[in-house]
Amino acid sequence: QVQLVESGGGLVQPGGSLRLSCGASGGIFRLYAISWYRRAPGKQRELVAAITTGGITNYGDAVKGRFTISRDNAKNTVYLQMNSLKHGDKAVYYCNARNIISGKDDYWGQGTQVTVSS
């Protein structure tokens, strides 16, 4: 099993930037596709970005052009660069791992809070 830990959240002004990190341990990192999700109070979980084991990326419509997901397999880490942040980006951000061999995807980190406030 893979263990995930998110970090990098915090308070930022509208238009600002943050970089989130998702560190993984306990598994073969290159065999996991990684996704970032977010959830705000009273709202459903929303896919933010995803990256395959081969580095192919996908983004939710709300963040296209502003966020960039990347992975560094040597560091067992996936990053989410968040630019031009808006009030609507305020949420707890979680990373999720899916084992591409077994198909198991119930691997989540503890989440990191992103607050956008003017």
Side-chain angles (χ1 to χ4, degrees), residues 6-12 18-21 82 91 93 112-115:
E6 301 96 334
S7 62
L11 176 66
V12 66
L18 287 172
R19 189 181 74 163
L20 307 184
S21 298
M82 310 166 66
Y93 285 70
T112 185
Q113 176 73 53
V114 172
T115 300

Side-chain angles (χ1 to χ4, degrees), residues 12-16 38 62-64 66-67 83-91 93 114-117:
V12 66
Q13 294 180 328
R38 67 187 184 186
V63 307
K64 285 182 178 177
R66 299 188 296 121
F67 292 8
N83 298 327
S84 301
L85 284 160
K86 305 174 180 179
H87 286 102
D89 297 320
K90 180 181 179 180
Y93 285 70
V114 172
T115 300
V116 184
S117 177

Side-chain angles (χ1 to χ4, degrees), residues 19-50:
R19 189 181 74 163
L20 307 184
S21 298
C22 174
S25 62
I28 304 175
F29 183 70
R30 63 179 177 84
L31 298 182
Y32 289 86
I34 306 295
S35 299
W36 284 97
Y37 290 83
R38 67 187 184 186
R39 187 163 188 168
K43 296 183 178 180
Q44 293 184 330
R45 186 185 66 192
E46 177 186 17
L47 175 67
V48 177

Side-chain angles (χ1 to χ4, degrees), residues 71-82:
R71 67 190 297 158
D72 186 340
N73 288 343
K75 296 182 178 180
N76 286 5
T77 301
V78 168
Y79 303 98
L80 184 67
Q81 180 66 46
M82 310 166 66

